[in-house]
Amino acid sequence: MDEEIFVCRCEEVTLREIRDAIRSGHTTLSELRRLLRVGMGPCQGRGCREIILREIAKQTRVPIEKLYPAKFRPPSKPVPMGLVKNNGV
Amino acid sequence: MNLIEKHPILQFEHGKKVKFTFDGKEMEGFEGEPIAAALHANGIKILSYTEKYKRPRGFFCAIGKCSSCFVIVDGVPNVRSCITPLKEGMAIQTQYGRGKFSQEVQKDED
Amino acid sequence: MKTDVLVIGGGPAGLCAAIEAASFGCKVTLVDESLALGGQLIKQTHKFFGSSDEFAGIRGIEIAKRLNEEVNNRRDRIEVFLNTSAVGYYPDEKLVSCMTAEQKFFTIKPEKLVVATGAFEKIVPFPGNDLPGVYGAGAVQTLMNVYGVVPGKRVLMVGAGNIGLIVSYQLLQAGVELAGIVEFAPKIGGYWVHAAKVRRLGIPIYLRHTVKRALGEKWVEGAIIQAIDEKGDWKGEEKKIECDVICLAVGLSPTCELLWQAGCEMEYVSELSGYVPKRDETMRTTHPDIWVAGDASGIEEASSAMIEGKIAGLSVAYSLGRVEEFFFKERLAEFWEKLNLLRGGETSQKIKIGVEKVLLKKDDRDNCLDIQRYAQARSESQIIQYDEKFLSGVLNNQMVESVLPPEALWKNKKGGLVIVECPQTIPCDPCHTNCPTGAILPFDNINDLPKIDYSKCTGCALCVASCPGLACFVVDLTYHEGEKAILKLPYEMLPRPEVNQEVLCLDREGNAIATGKVIRVQEPKKDRTLVVHVVVPRKLVNQIRAIRVIKNG
């Protein structure tokens, strides 16, 4: 068996887990985010988003250009809660 | 410190030398330079261990974007060490998992 | 707080946008995440390509200083927030939330917004890719070139694009051992001259190879690399590489979160390396108050990022009514002309294709420029099928012949004649602009290959000192000892060679094939690129292209 490859470093999700999830029908990034928490950690998916989209593209045979990368919400960097509490938007 | 002594193009102008601690051990670095650079110069590569599999982590992007370089600084966890400047007397610690506030900091916050 | 223009990102694009907008009287706020302005420029020790009218021949660190000065000269109009991340855009309120040093949280409400947030290092999936010691190329540059910290003992570079090649050379300059460069593609992706620079110092480039796994438990203690076939399957034997750093230079992704949050129309364009916003020729996105510039609009070079920044800055000023329409159109056309020139070389063809895919074309012709009009830069590319040696940055024998001066003129020419080993169309002209005798002919298009009138060449070696690709050499065959010749070559390493010192002479692949004697060391441009005059065996003048100083003891 191949050694584990961590795709989402923040949430420690492996390539195998992602492939299994896609194979069992979770073929959008939004679903994978809810299921595995990929791309939901402090880096907000900067490192793994494209690798995951490429995996989805490979398995669903939909070109990556046609895939939707899921929603982006602020904050895009970790912000201590105390700061928001005192100066909130 | 593991510094480049001579360079054919560059001249390094380091700031003021300051003392800080990493997991209680005293170290030296330059004021205003990123914590991660100071730690690396002192031979520290592991900045944190992950929550699930306890894997060691160092920095990766060094420009504040990847969040791989979290450490605990003066009790505050999840500090991006690559873009946080070093200050005299900082107490830096390896972060385990998602990090917890130390009790003193919690008191200050309240 | 409120401002006319908020520029997010203080790299080449953002700085130029801020300077341009401020020069038309706009009040600009510039936020940047790092501790100093300049973005990646502050790490670039190499000289830039492009046109000498802009910054060609000048090192990135110097360009950063100049831009910084320009910002400082406009401090009455440009307010700078360092160590400040823009963390969110709220479209309903048109607010940008910012955080300084993880200590202060505040919002800015700009009339217009320029997003110049740069890029993020791509990661390749392999076991152990999360170990400490697997560093992005930008991180390695930051450590060694900004803070003077030794990144590691021995580095394996992954990726032979411009960043991989440049950082490899910089590692050698910093005195770090380089185990080699692995490249997934069958040829180097960066400028050929950048590859030649590291090849002649003995660094192997493993084409069609990739990292199979990182070794080590706590941190990187080595790497396994292996060749891959056309289908991407493993091929041949595994090879173990001794290293404590694996440096990833496998490309960048545009950083666009804020544009997504703002609801700008985005598109995945592989030629631009990821999701990028659709934009018009003024760099305005589909959001009427948001512009984009630099790597955030598609991964390219710093030189073009600076022009995109100027375009965005100019257009923002125009939209605020600070620029006359006629002047705006004229200046915009000038910028596009420069941009198209920069994109005229063979390595930039994919950029042009990518930009075409996301460029919004307006129906209203009166209010926009016909971009095609300015896209006259040469597009016929000269991609020839070369052998593997050439594709990894080494001239093959046949090509060596083609770059040599005519024998009859050469053998009696006191001072020698120039040899330019620049076989790829890239935007660059300092060899011509620095030639005092007109021997290196003017370029019709800066992407042309250099043409030489040998009858005018005096062998002065100013081109040797100024070529950003270190691709110019001078060979003087008239040295008084018949079996010897003088080679004048560029040198940017340590230790500095001394007159009368014996040095090793290296061929184009870094093999030591002779010893030579240094007879002169010049620094013609006073910019730390040395021109070293070495007496070498005459029969090897067409092979020797570098020297290594033999360390004492």
Side-chain angles (χ1 to χ4, degrees):
Chain A
M1 200 183 74
D2 275 353
E3 294 147 282
E4 295 291 7
I5 298 172
F6 288 93
V7 171
C8 172
R9 299 157 68 100
C10 300
E11 296 296 323
E12 300 176 79
V13 186
T14 66
L15 186 59
R16 192 162 46 90
E17 289 173 277
I18 291 165
R19 283 184 177 160
D20 287 349
I22 300 171
R23 217 167 287 139
S24 50
H26 306 284
T27 53
T28 65
L29 191 55
S30 304
E31 282 173 84
L32 294 171
R33 290 215 297 201
R34 287 180 176 87
L35 189 72
L36 302 170
R37 281 199 55 80
V38 283
M40 300 287 275
C43 97
Q44 291 288 289
R46 269 183 213 103
C48 62
R49 188 180 302 124
E50 222 179 293
I51 301 175
I52 298 168
L53 286 172
R54 226 176 286 137
E55 283 300 320
I56 297 175
K58 230 194 282 176
Q59 287 201 32
T60 59
R61 295 175 193 233
V62 176
I64 191 163
E65 289 82 359
K66 298 265 157 67
L67 296 173
Y68 179 66
K71 207 154 174 72
F72 292 77
R73 292 183 182 88
S76 41
K77 300 279 162 72
V79 176
M81 291 302 283
L83 293 186
V84 185
K85 184 183 78 183
N86 298 330
N87 314 275
V89 184
Chain B
M1 278 182 277
N2 203 1
L3 300 175
I4 297 168
E5 304 275 321
K6 274 199 211 157
H7 194 283
I9 309 295
L10 298 166
Q11 269 171 315
F12 299 105
E13 286 156 25
H14 294 288
K16 193 180 125 198
K17 215 176 232 182
V18 293
K19 286 194 165 61
F20 66 98
T21 61
F22 181 71
D23 289 342
K25 198 178 154 208
E26 193 166 278
M27 292 180 179
E28 275 184 334
F30 298 103
E31 189 174 59
E33 297 192 358
I35 292 170
L39 289 173
H40 200 277
N42 281 281
I44 303 299
K45 291 186 182 179
I46 301 175
L47 304 174
S48 66
Y49 288 90
T50 60
E51 175 90 12
K52 249 199 256 177
Y53 301 109
K54 321 289 174 217
R55 291 181 69 82
R57 283 290 156 83
F59 61 82
F60 174 72
C61 79
I63 48 172
K65 293 189 179 185
C66 78
S67 302
S68 181
C69 64
F70 284 162
V71 290
I72 301 174
V73 177
D74 294 334
V76 179
N78 299 318
V79 173
R80 287 179 285 171
S81 61
C82 72
I83 55 164
T84 303
L86 184 70
K87 290 192 194 113
E88 172 83 52
M90 267 183 169
I92 301 160
Q93 290 166 275
T94 309
Q95 177 167 326
Y96 293 88
R98 309 228 180 244
K100 288 193 180 75
F101 274 90
S102 72
Q103 304 215 314
E104 302 90 81
V105 177
Q106 256 166 1
K107 259 182 226 150
D108 288 354
E109 293 278 306
D110 300 336
Chain C
M1 65 179 262
K2 285 186 176 177
T3 185
D4 287 351
V5 184
L6 172 62
V7 178
I8 303 174
L15 285 173
C16 285
I19 293 164
E20 182 78 11
S23 70
F24 291 107
C26 304
K27 181 181 174 267
V28 180
T29 306
L30 175 62
V31 303
D32 189 88
E33 209 155 36
S34 48
L35 305 176
L37 287 178
Q40 306 302 303
L41 286 173
I42 61 169
K43 316 170 182 178
Q44 308 307 332
T45 56
H46 66 286
K47 295 178 185 174
F48 271 48
F49 294 78
S51 164
S52 297
D53 295 343
E54 302 280 320
F55 290 114
I58 303 172
R59 297 184 200 281
I61 39 173
E62 287 302 320
I63 300 173
K65 275 186 207 155
R66 290 189 194 187
L67 294 177
N68 248 306
E69 260 167 46
E70 288 201 49
V71 168
N72 284 332
N73 293 340
R74 294 176 177 80
R75 271 297 159 104
D76 53 329
R77 290 191 213 126
I78 306 178
E79 193 182 4
V80 179
F81 290 88
L82 287 174
N83 205 3
T84 301
S85 311
V87 293
Y89 184 82
Y90 300 84
D92 295 341
E93 297 87 356
K94 295 190 177 170
L95 274 182
V96 176
S97 58
C98 297
M99 176 178 63
T100 299
E102 317 207 355
Q103 312 246 319
K104 206 177 134 217
F105 191 75
F106 61 104
T107 56
I108 301 178
K109 191 178 170 73
E111 294 285 323
K112 309 288 170 191
L113 175 63
V114 179
V115 175
T117 40
F120 178 70
E121 211 98 45
K122 282 189 185 174
I123 297 172
V124 263
F126 57 82
N129 71 349
D130 61 334
L131 280 174
V134 178
Y135 299 145
V140 167
Q141 276 189 314
T142 307
L143 270 191
M144 70 177 173
N145 292 348
V146 182
Y147 299 108
V149 175
V150 180
K153 290 194 181 73
R154 197 158 194 265
V155 177
L156 174 68
M157 182 64 65
V158 184
N162 271 336
I163 295 176
L165 296 170
I166 289 168
V167 177
S168 293
Y169 186 73
Q170 293 174 351
L171 281 161
L172 297 172
Q173 287 183 312
V176 178
E177 245 186 87
L178 191 61
I181 305 173
V182 292
E183 169 57 53
F184 188 84
K187 64 171 197 164
I188 49 160
Y191 290 169
W192 187 91
V193 286
H194 279 315
K197 269 159 57 174
V198 290
R199 293 289 277 126
R200 70 173 81 108
L201 296 172
I203 304 305
I205 297 182
Y206 303 98
L207 296 175
R208 271 207 190 285
H209 273 70
T210 189
V211 179
K212 199 168 188 185
R213 84 181 74 92
L215 303 173
E217 289 294 318
K218 291 181 176 165
W219 44 67
V220 173
E221 290 171 356
I224 300 291
I225 65 167
Q226 197 174 359
I228 34 171
D229 63 18
E230 284 77 12
K231 281 187 242 148
D233 293 326
W234 300 112
K235 188 176 114 179
E237 298 276 293
E238 290 184 350
K239 190 175 168 72
K240 190 182 168 198
I241 303 281
E242 297 287 338
C243 60
D244 62 347
V245 170
I246 298 174
C247 182
L248 298 188
V250 290
L252 303 167
S253 303
T255 303
C256 303
E257 290 92 7
L258 296 172
L259 297 168
W260 282 103
Q261 290 167 12
C264 299
E265 259 184 67
M266 307 291 288
E267 199 160 305
Y268 186 94
V269 181
S270 58
E271 290 87 352
L272 300 177
S273 305
Y275 284 97
V276 291
K278 291 190 174 174
R279 78 306 287 264
D280 64 16
E281 70 286 338
T282 73
M283 299 308 289
R284 195 200 303 234
T285 65
T286 52
H287 188 299
D289 295 322
I290 301 182
W291 280 253
V292 69
D295 276 353
S297 71
I299 305 302
E300 209 182 337
E301 299 286 324
S303 314
S304 42
M306 288 188 270
I307 298 177
E308 285 181 345
K310 287 182 194 168
I311 292 176
L314 171 73
S315 312
V316 162
Y318 176 64
S319 75
L320 288 168
R322 305 286 164 87
V323 190
E324 293 289 330
E325 186 181 345
F326 171 77
F327 184 73
F328 162 70
K329 284 192 171 177
E330 204 167 71
R331 197 163 165 82
L332 183 61
E334 257 171 56
F335 287 148
W336 268 101
E337 205 168 336
K338 287 180 180 167
L339 203 49
N340 281 320
L341 271 178
L342 283 177
R343 289 172 179 164
E346 62 186 64
T347 54
S348 300
Q349 291 312 304
K350 65 168 191 158
I351 301 288
K352 285 172 83 171
I353 296 168
V355 169
E356 196 59 27
K357 286 185 185 171
V358 281
L359 197 66
L360 296 163
K361 305 214 170 84
K362 290 185 193 154
D363 300 328
D364 185 0
R365 279 290 164 202
D366 285 344
N367 283 329
C368 85
L369 284 154
D370 181 1
I371 214 160
Q372 294 304 327
R373 207 148 39 97
Y374 302 99
Q376 290 156 351
R378 71 187 266 160
S379 57
E380 89 262 23
S381 98
Q382 290 197 335
I383 303 165
I384 310 168
Q385 289 301 314
Y386 297 112
D387 60 357
E388 191 166 316
K389 204 165 149 186
F390 179 80
L391 295 174
S392 74
V394 178
L395 278 194
N396 55 33
N397 293 338
Q398 196 188 341
M399 298 192 68
V400 170
E401 293 294 320
S402 72
V403 296
L404 299 180
E407 182 72 34
L409 193 64
W410 193 14
K411 65 182 180 205
N412 297 316
K413 184 85 172 199
K414 277 247 172 270
L417 290 177
V418 68
I419 294 171
V420 184
E421 304 196 350
C422 181
Q424 185 184 39
T425 58
I426 53 174
C428 191
D429 68 0
C431 58
H432 159 67
T433 55
N434 282 279
C435 178
T437 65
I440 299 182
L441 301 174
F443 291 88
D444 291 335
N445 177 316
I446 54 167
N447 293 288
D448 290 342
L449 301 181
K451 291 187 199 76
I452 305 150
D453 178 351
Y454 290 102
S455 69
K456 289 186 182 158
C457 179
T458 60
C460 72
L462 274 174
C463 55
V464 178
S466 53
C467 171
L470 306 188
C472 297
F473 308 87
V474 168
V475 173
D476 182 350
L477 298 174
T478 67
Y479 192 62
H480 56 84
E481 291 170 34
E483 293 302 302
K484 307 272 184 186
I486 302 170
L487 183 59
K488 304 177 194 174
L489 42 76
Y491 187 85
E492 292 186 330
M493 293 286 153
L494 285 178
R496 193 185 159 111
E498 304 291 337
V499 172
N500 288 327
Q501 197 173 13
E502 287 270 314
V503 291
L504 288 177
C505 298
L506 312 178
D507 68 8
R508 291 182 182 81
E509 293 174 85
N511 302 309
I513 54 172
T515 55
K517 191 174 157 194
V518 176
I519 54 166
R520 199 171 167 204
V521 179
Q522 292 175 284
E523 193 187 338
K525 307 281 291 179
K526 304 284 170 256
D527 66 354
R528 299 181 169 233
T529 301
L530 305 180
V531 175
V532 183
H533 300 227
V534 196
V535 174
V536 302
R538 185 183 169 125
K539 61 177 194 297
L540 296 175
V541 288
N542 297 337
Q543 271 121 66
I544 297 167
R545 283 299 172 267
I547 54 165
R548 179 171 294 141
V549 174
I550 304 162
K551 283 177 196 156
N552 296 326

